[in-house]
Structures are given as C-alpha cells and as structure tokens.
C-alpha cells in the first residue's frame, strides 16, 4: 500500500484512523507513506515521522520540502526507514533509497525521486533511478518508486522508463489524485498522482479563503492548513513473488 502526501495534523489524524483499518482490510505486507507535508503542512520532523510509523507505516518518502525543518537533518541520517529524493545534491543529509523487510522474507526497495520540470533537482531523475536500481538489484524482492513531481508529462515518462523494471511507480506532490491507475506492460503498477491524505476542503491542503484570496488579489496571504473534509488517498498494489504487479486499486477514503 502507498499513501499520498500526509498534510499537517488533519492528515496525521486521518492516517492514524484509517491506515490500521486499511492494512487489515487489504492484507497489506508493506505500507509506504509520503510524509513531506506532515509537519504544519510543509516538511517533516522526527515527531511527525514517529506518528506516521506508529500509525503503521513501514517506510516514509519525502519531496521538495525535506529541508524545511533543520532538526530533521540528523534524523534522516539515523533512521534507515525514511528516504528523500535520490537526485538531490550528494552529501546532503539522508538517503535516496532503502530496503525494508516484510513477512516471509520479502524485501521492499523504496526509492524517492524528484522531478525537474517546474522543480529543482541536482540530477536527472531518469539516469539517477537507473543507478539506484542497479544498486538495489540483489537486495530487494520488490521495488516501489515514489516520483515526487509537478508535471504529468514527466511522471508518465517515468512510468514508461520504469515499466517492467519495478513493482510500482507512483506519483506524488500535486495532492490531486489522477484517474489513470493501471499496470503497465512488464508488471509495473503506475499512477500519475496518488493524491493527498489531509483536508480536501481547502486548496491542496491550505485554508480555502486565504488561498482563493491570494489568487483573486495577487497579494501575499498567510495560508495555514485547512481542517475541512479530511480523508486518505492511496493505492493498493498486488504483486507476485517475482516482483511484478498484478493489480493496482485506488483508495479515496473519507476520514
Ligand atoms: Fe511536494
């Protein structure tokens, strides 16, 4: 199971409420959660990461807000269950890929990448993922890639780049779920964007009124995290022992 960007305390509460139930219902072996907006809507802290793990996550992926809270830098180096985009500058805190152990000797490789279109990244996510996969080859039975990117074109291209090479390639960052979940040839589950776990009554997580006023007046606004209409967006991927995906099901669950 993969859960889309957890936004602020409404997102953490929705995750705490729903992840245990959904793990049970779908007999989930691994739950990976994008936590890059879990602390006040931007970034992550050791505390919010701890809450995501306590809710039932096996691994956490991140994105462009990874460096927002300084206190997390040391934690990113210490906890092997959390990954930030692999194609960020070398030498920065944290790691871009990890392997987590599951039931029956299953080992899930978890890779985090950032897009380059309308976003900053040090290196191309396409060549980066090739070298990361070469390094994971003998260490993981299954591989999930979280491609944290803005542009649908770049994400669709990554899906095709990885088709037949990983178990799942899921998109994050826009907070809006797309309706294109499918298994690509070669057994790679794909979706352009999983969506968000948080308040769907705002504007991609922010309070509705100031966000709308910002667009209307084109003046800066103090946004804050919305509390309205919380829910979980995710996907469940079923895969064989050969690491190939059989199905992908979209989850859009109100909290
Ligand atoms: Fe993001």
């Amino acid at each position: 199971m993969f859960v889309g960007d957890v936004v602020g305390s409404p997102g953490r509460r929705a995750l705490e409420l729903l992840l245990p139930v959904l793990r049970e219902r779908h007999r989930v072996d691994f739950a990976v959660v994008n936590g890059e907006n879990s602390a006040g809507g931007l970034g992550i802290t050791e505390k919010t990461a701890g809450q995501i793990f306590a809710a039932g996550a096996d691994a956490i992926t991140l994105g462009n807000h990874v460096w927002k809270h300084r206190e997390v830098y040391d934690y990113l180096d210490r906890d092997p269950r959390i990954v930030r985009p692999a194609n960020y500058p070398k030498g920065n805190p944290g790691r871009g890929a990890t392997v987590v152990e599951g039931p029956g000797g299953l080992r899930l490789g978890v890779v985090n990448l950032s897009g380059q279109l309308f976003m900053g990244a040090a290196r191309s996510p396409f060549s980066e993922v090739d070298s990361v996969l070469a390094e994971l080859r003998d260490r993981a039975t299954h591989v999930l890639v979280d491609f944290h990117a803005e542009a649908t074109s770049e994400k669709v291209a990554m899906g095709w780049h990885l088709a037949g090479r990983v178990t799942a390639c899921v998109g994050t960052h826009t907070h809006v779920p797309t309706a294109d979940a499918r298994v690509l040839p070669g057994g790679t589950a794909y979706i352009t964007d999983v969506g968000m776990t948080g308040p769907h009554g705002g504007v991609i997580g922010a309070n509705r009124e100031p966000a709308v006023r910002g667009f209307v007046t084109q003046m800066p606004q103090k946004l804050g995290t919305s509390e309205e209409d919380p829910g979980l967006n995710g996907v469940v991927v079923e895969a064989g022992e050969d690491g190939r995906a059989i199905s992908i099901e979209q989850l859009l669950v109100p909290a």
Side-chain angles (χ1 to χ4, degrees), residues 47-61:
K47 183 174 155 237
T48 62
Q51 289 170 340
I52 292 170
F53 285 126
D58 297 294
I60 295 176
T61 55

Side-chain angles (χ1 to χ4, degrees), residues 5 34 36-37 62-65 119 148-149 172-175:
D5 311 29
N34 184 298
E36 90 123 358
N37 302 104
L62 296 167
N64 52 305
H65 295 301
M119 301 182 86
H148 198 76
T172 58
H173 179 63
T174 72
H175 296 191

Side-chain angles (χ1 to χ4, degrees), residues 119-191:
M119 301 182 86
R123 297 175 301 284
S124 160
F126 293 89
S127 52
E128 190 75 24
V129 76
D130 292 345
S131 51
V132 172
L133 291 182
E135 196 255 324
L136 283 177
R137 187 165 295 139
D138 302 323
R139 298 174 52 213
T141 56
H142 298 71
V143 175
L144 175 139
V145 174
D146 171 1
F147 189 26
H148 198 76
E150 184 78 47
T152 51
S153 58
E154 194 177 17
K155 293 200 253 192
V156 171
M158 182 60 79
W160 288 119
H161 184 62
L162 294 176
R165 301 169 64 201
V166 300
T167 312
C169 172
V170 296
T172 58
H173 179 63
T174 72
H175 296 191
V176 179
T178 55
D180 61 341
R182 60 178 164 156
V183 178
L184 298 174
T188 296
Y190 175 81
I191 186 167

Side-chain angles (χ1 to χ4, degrees), residues 28-75:
V28 167
D29 290 322
F30 295 100
V32 180
V33 176
N34 184 298
E36 90 123 358
N37 302 104
S38 62
L42 291 179
I44 191 166
T45 60
E46 183 166 357
K47 183 174 155 237
T48 62
Q51 289 170 340
I52 292 170
F53 285 126
D58 297 294
I60 295 176
T61 55
L62 296 167
N64 52 305
H65 295 301
V66 55
W67 315 126
K68 174 79 180 168
H69 303 283
R70 231 164 219 290
E71 55 168 286
V72 85
Y73 297 1
D74 162 62
Y75 172 66

Side-chain angles (χ1 to χ4, degrees), residues 12 17 22 70 118 145 156 162 167 169 212 215 237 243 247:
R12 300 199 307 273
L17 186 73
L22 295 168
R70 231 164 219 290
F118 315 116
V145 174
V156 171
L162 294 176
T167 312
C169 172
V212 172
F215 282 104
V237 174
S247 66

